Amino acid sequence: MRIGMLTSGGDCPGLNAVIRGVVRKVERVHGGTVVGFRDAWKGVLEDEWEVLDVNRCRGILPRGGTILGTSRVQPYQFPDGVEMVKAAVAQHRLDGFVVIGGDGSLGAARDLQDDGVNCIGVPKTIDNDIAATEMTFGFDTAVHICSTAIDRLHTTAEAHDRVMVVEVMGRDAGHIAVRAGLAGGATMTLIPEVPFDIGEVCDALQRRHAGMSYASIVVVAEGATPAPGTMPEPEYEVDRFGHRRLGGISQRLAEEIEGRTGIETRVTILGHVQRGGTPTAFDRVLATRYGVAAADAAADGAWGQMVALQADHIVRVPLHEATGSTKQVDLDLYDEVARPFFAS
Ligand code: F6P
């Protein structure tokens, strides 16, 4: 068995643990070889690769980033991209690819499978918004980093009676915001799934601060939007891959809060800190399980499938089921445990 492997899209803590899991299982149990391609599909198109073996993967389990590098390059961005991928398959005598990626990369893997290139998907994103799996690796690490940051912001906010607006990642779904907000005891949490009314936000903060010394933490997901017509939205650039570069809603929000309530307000954008550094133990375990399961799926010839976590078991789901829609925050959870604390 010869497997091509690549990490694609934004990096995520646990990528190296998946790589190690795949390599160990392919080499030690299935007696096969793993060819790792550099910088996602770019390495396939430009023939940049290395053979990955157990020795090469020693020590990488706790390391953030990815030893393979990553990019947002996809074969469908080039007129002859799919043919070039097929040529690489023939040149390296590959049975297929293990593609470790988010929704965009898994969508490309699904289309390649339909076009005759064998692919198995591994769901990766700190945003935890991939359908058909209860958890993506990297999410637990991001929540941990955000809740730790919120803990720290509480004390400085208390010292000054300020509102602290904390922006976390989450472009289409507010999973990080909800979990980190709950764990960190945020005053309110704003998510992409529920457009917010700035008037309500400010009224709640004003009630809370009226006549009392208080600190407030407002967690906002980067993809959160105001209800139409309620306040100006930030303008976002689009990168050369058509990917909106989010970031900035917290600044707009803070200006509105301070302007409308008179309460001193500061902004913290956690940004890529959420994706850097060592994965939590939970993410190392999940990523390793995904890697091992992807190797087994390749050995079974279960192409066109993604490995997924369901009820603590690793299962296989068709890439067609797993892609094309976003797993959003369960609004019952939001109503049950996030909303009741709003500014109370
Ligand atoms: O998709 C995961 C994610 O972390 C998003 O939450 C975020 O908007 C995006 O990646 C940022 O990616 P980059 O700045 O690396 O292009």
Side-chain angles (χ1 to χ4, degrees):
M1 172 167 78
R2 284 178 66 85
I3 303 297
M5 179 159 60
L6 48 95
T7 53
S8 178
D11 76 320
C12 183
L15 282 168
N16 285 323
V18 179
I19 292 170
R20 174 178 171 273
V22 171
V23 169
R24 288 190 91 90
K25 191 81 194 257
V26 167
E27 184 181 317
R28 292 284 157 90
V29 178
H30 300 300
T33 301
V34 179
V35 180
F37 288 91
R38 293 288 315 163
D39 299 335
W41 291 103
K42 190 163 177 283
V44 179
L45 302 177
E46 296 179 2
D47 203 29
E48 292 277 335
W49 53 274
E50 62 175 308
V51 171
L52 295 174
D53 60 15
V54 169
N55 274 334
R56 169 74 172 97
C57 296
R58 286 196 200 284
I60 68 171
L61 172 67
R63 282 186 54 203
T66 159
I67 60 166
L68 285 174
T70 186
S71 74
R72 295 196 192 277
V73 171
Q74 307 282 359
Y76 291 96
Q77 292 158 353
F78 305 91
D80 52 353
V82 177
E83 290 318 307
M84 290 167 79
V85 172
K86 288 183 176 172
V89 168
Q91 180 196 335
H92 293 281
R93 293 173 288 111
L94 301 176
D95 296 290
F97 290 95
V98 170
V99 178
I100 312 167
D103 189 57
S105 310
L106 295 172
R110 171 202 62 208
D111 295 345
L112 281 166
Q113 180 71 40
D114 291 347
D115 285 336
V117 177
N118 287 335
C119 289
I120 285 163
V122 178
K124 167 240 65 163
T125 166
I126 66 165
D127 291 1
N128 196 30
D129 60 357
I130 294 179
T133 185
E134 286 163 10
M135 199 81 151
T136 54
F137 65 90
F139 172 63
D140 184 67
T141 306
V143 170
H144 179 73
I145 292 167
C146 294
S147 62
T148 307
I150 294 169
D151 289 347
R152 290 178 179 279
L153 290 170
H154 271 292
T155 56
T156 170
E158 279 157 22
H160 293 267
D161 300 338
R162 282 176 174 157
V163 174
M164 300 300 240
V165 179
V166 189
E167 182 174 308
V168 302
M169 283 189 175
R171 72 178 25 239
D172 301 308
H175 298 284
I176 297 176
V178 168
R179 303 274 163 174
L182 279 171
T187 310
M188 61 176 78
T189 301
L190 308 176
I191 58 175
E193 289 86 342
V194 184
F196 62 87
D197 183 325
I198 186 66
E200 283 175 12
V201 167
C202 291
D203 288 349
L205 289 170
Q206 212 144 27
R207 275 198 306 277
R208 180 175 153 85
H209 286 247
M212 300 277 286
S213 283
Y214 263 128
S216 294
I217 306 283
V218 177
V219 175
V220 59
E222 61 181 353
T225 51
T230 52
M231 65 173 249
E233 282 184 61
E235 280 173 19
Y236 297 117
E237 284 171 29
V238 175
D239 70 17
R240 66 195 174 97
F241 303 111
H243 195 71
R244 271 191 323 151
R245 195 169 290 167
L246 296 180
I249 185 64
S250 53
Q251 193 61 48
R252 296 288 312 112
L253 191 58
E255 284 161 14
E256 292 287 331
I257 292 172
E258 191 165 288
R260 291 176 187 229
T261 66
I263 308 168
E264 214 182 353
T265 304
R266 293 286 190 273
V267 173
T268 301
I269 300 179
L270 292 176
H272 293 79
V273 168
Q274 296 161 87
R275 284 193 349 211
T278 186
T280 58
F282 180 93
D283 278 334
R284 294 180 201 185
V285 172
L286 180 61
T288 301
R289 291 178 77 193
Y290 278 154
V292 165
D296 290 342
D300 291 345
W303 305 108
Q305 306 284 310
M306 182 188 85
V307 293
L309 183 74
Q310 289 177 8
D312 205 31
H313 291 282
I314 305 291
V315 297
R316 297 171 187 170
V317 291
L319 278 167
H320 272 274
E321 256 176 50
T323 51
S325 66
T326 302
K327 180 181 71 189
Q328 297 207 305
V329 167
D330 176 357
L331 293 185
D332 288 340
L333 170 79
Y334 188 61
D335 283 335
E336 250 168 55
V337 292
R339 262 193 219 269
F341 297 120
F342 267 32
S344 57

